[in-house]
């Protein structure tokens, strides 16, 4: 399989990243982050979620975030919506694209959205109908494709029907979530070989949390299977509130660095992205989880010290 020449990055830091912050993050901080990500050239930036605010208080201000967005042409700002109530909130707030999210594991589905997989798919049907009426594109997620915090091992046969349902109901793409980051190059390969027998690579994306340090190798396997959409989170922000111990997604800076080395275009200015990641990490008082950002920032600081004679 040929590597893609171009990759589309879905930046999830402002949603997947910040939904897991213990501290309250001001709307102005979220907006500054989103603006900096757009400045760096990202074209798909998840900006919030319209879930039950009692479940995820960090996203309770998503209306205010969408109201404050300085929307740019050519950039989409999708919102996560778990049901029709969330979809209606998102559209009222001005979201032009939404994402629905299901799981490959019953245990995680219950923990995350308080219903079975079948019930979640039934809940999405009216969302898809309303989205079709308004011509709003819908992305789908399947969580726990390579492992589940409740059930442990997950097989490709558990993932396939959920992907199939989401595509059949009209999602334009399905993102495969390694929610707890336990996948390896081996399990990712087995999953993709099984899925690609049925679904074209253009319909799939990967969403790799980096808990076990496997995200970049899993992404490389996905690229080698022709998958050209990668989810990532600036500075590796985040985790999942319903997957204890899971760390953030792969850092966007690390993905961009790898893609540059492979001569795969993703349209992102790495220097600007690193500044966005350093700024939000400093604001949150977090260590930047991007290894490439840390290394390149240290190198830059060293060469600046050298050129100023220190
Ligand atoms: P529920 O409690 O079962 O819902 O929650 P319900 O329909 O029984 O309603 C109960 C109350 O919630 C009602 O209010 C509703 O109005 C309210 P009350 O009458 O008690 O005052 N409610 C809502 N309020 C605002 N917005 C809504 C909404 N829906 C109901 N949309 C629900 C079901 C799905 C809503 C809940 O479980 C929930 O919000 N879960 C969200 C969990 C979440 O956000 N998880 C993180 C995102 S997923 C993720 O990170 C994984 C991903 O990154 C991929 C990966 O890594 O694998 C995408
Ligand atoms: Mg996630």
């Amino acid at each position: 399989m040929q590597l893609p020449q171009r990759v589309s990055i879905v930046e999830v830091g402002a949603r997947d990243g910040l939904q897991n912050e213990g501290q309250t993050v001001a709307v102005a901080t979220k907006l500054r982050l989103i603006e900096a990500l757009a400045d760096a050239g990202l074209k798909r930036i998840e900006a919030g979620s319209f879930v039950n605010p009692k479940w995820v208080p960090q996203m309770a201000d998503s209306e205010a975030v969408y109201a404050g967005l300085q929307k740019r042409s050519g950039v989409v700002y999708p919102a996560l919506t778990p049901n029709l109530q969330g979809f209606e909130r998102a559209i009222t707030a001005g979201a032009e694209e939404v994402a629905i999210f299901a799981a490959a594991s019953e245990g995680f589905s219950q923990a995350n959205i308080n219903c079975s997989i079948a019930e979640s798919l039934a809940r999405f049907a009216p969302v898809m109908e309303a989205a079709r009426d308004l011509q709003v594109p819908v992305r789908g997620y399947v969580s726990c494709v390579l492992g589940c915090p409740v059930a442990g091992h997950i097989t490709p046969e558990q993932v396939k029907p959920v992907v199939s349902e989401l595509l059949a109901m009209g999602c334009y793409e399905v993102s495969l979530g390694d929610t707890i980051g336990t996948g390896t190059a081996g399990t990712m390969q087995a999953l993709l070989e099984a899925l690609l027998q049925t679904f074209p690579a253009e319909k799939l994306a990967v969403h790799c949390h980096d808990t076990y340090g496997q995200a970049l190798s899993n992404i490389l396997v996905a690229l080698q299977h022709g998958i050209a959409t990668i989810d990532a989170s600036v500075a590796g922000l985040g985790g999942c509130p319903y997957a204890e111990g899971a760390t953030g997604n792969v850092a966007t800076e690390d993905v961009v660095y790898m893609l540059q080395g492979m001569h795969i275009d993703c349209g992102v200015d790495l220097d600007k992205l690193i500044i966005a990641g350093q700024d939000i990490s400093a604001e949150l008082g977090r260590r930047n989880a991007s290894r490439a950002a840390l290394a390149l920032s240290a190198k830059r600081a060293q060469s600046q010290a050298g050129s100023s004679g220190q």
Side-chain angles (χ1 to χ4, degrees):
M1 171 70 73
Q2 267 210 319
L3 289 169
Q5 288 182 337
R6 219 193 127 69
V7 154
S8 169
I9 294 182
V10 178
E11 169 58 52
V12 298
R15 192 280 302 169
D16 201 338
L18 298 184
Q19 77 182 5
N20 205 42
E21 270 303 312
Q23 59 193 304
T24 305
V25 181
V27 170
T29 303
K30 294 182 177 183
L31 290 171
R32 258 198 314 279
L33 169 65
I34 292 166
E35 195 59 15
L37 294 168
D39 258 344
L42 286 150
K43 300 282 184 238
R44 300 167 77 182
I45 305 173
E46 270 189 4
S49 70
F50 294 88
V51 300
N52 185 340
K54 288 188 189 131
W55 283 58
V56 186
Q58 298 87 335
M59 291 288 117
D61 57 7
S62 288
E63 268 90 358
V65 171
Y66 275 81
L69 284 179
Q70 303 277 319
K71 285 189 185 160
R72 300 181 186 209
S73 88
V75 180
V76 286
Y77 304 87
L80 223 59
T81 57
N83 52 20
L84 190 57
Q85 191 177 345
F87 177 80
E88 285 166 352
R89 282 179 59 206
I91 296 304
T92 306
E96 288 162 341
E97 178 175 325
V98 301
I100 56 176
F101 48 107
S105 125
E106 289 294 350
F108 188 77
S109 185
Q110 290 291 351
N112 194 38
I113 48 177
N114 205 23
C115 63
S116 68
I117 299 169
E119 283 163 346
S120 74
L121 295 169
R123 258 183 209 173
F124 297 144
V127 175
M128 296 307 299
E129 202 180 307
R132 224 177 342 264
D133 287 348
L134 297 172
Q135 297 186 317
V136 170
V138 184
R139 188 173 200 239
Y141 279 102
V142 181
S143 286
C144 297
V145 298
L146 297 175
C148 165
V150 186
H153 186 61
I154 296 290
T155 64
E157 289 64 42
Q158 289 171 275
V159 180
K160 219 170 185 174
V162 190
V163 173
S164 179
E165 287 279 350
L166 291 175
L167 289 175
M169 58 172 67
C171 290
Y172 71 86
E173 170 181 289
V174 171
S175 180
L176 304 167
D178 183 10
T179 316
I180 53 170
T182 50
T184 62
T187 53
M188 179 62 98
Q189 177 163 335
L191 174 68
L192 294 180
E193 276 171 9
L195 295 182
L196 290 168
Q197 285 173 9
T198 310
F199 313 109
E202 301 75 55
K203 293 279 178 193
L204 300 176
V206 288
H207 177 102
C208 297
H209 285 260
D210 201 26
T211 317
Y212 285 71
Q214 304 297 304
L216 278 185
S217 35
N218 294 344
I219 290 167
L220 178 58
V221 169
L223 292 170
Q224 287 167 338
H225 284 78
I227 290 177
T229 302
I230 296 170
D231 299 0
S233 172
V234 67
L237 292 177
C240 176
Y242 299 102
E244 186 87 19
T247 64
N249 273 90
V250 65
T252 316
E253 299 90 318
D254 294 353
V255 173
V256 172
Y257 181 80
M258 180 174 85
L259 293 173
Q260 286 184 347
M262 298 171 76
H263 305 291
I264 297 176
D265 181 25
C266 65
V268 177
D269 180 325
L270 183 55
D271 291 332
K272 287 186 175 176
L273 182 63
I274 287 174
I275 293 169
Q278 292 287 50
D279 286 351
I280 187 69
S281 301
E283 280 213 55
L284 299 177
R286 263 175 172 265
R287 183 173 160 81
N288 190 330
S290 162
R291 302 283 288 272
L294 291 178
L296 290 168
S297 301
K299 196 168 153 186
R300 188 166 308 121
Q302 227 169 24
S303 77
Q304 275 166 0
S307 67
S308 68
Q310 285 171 7

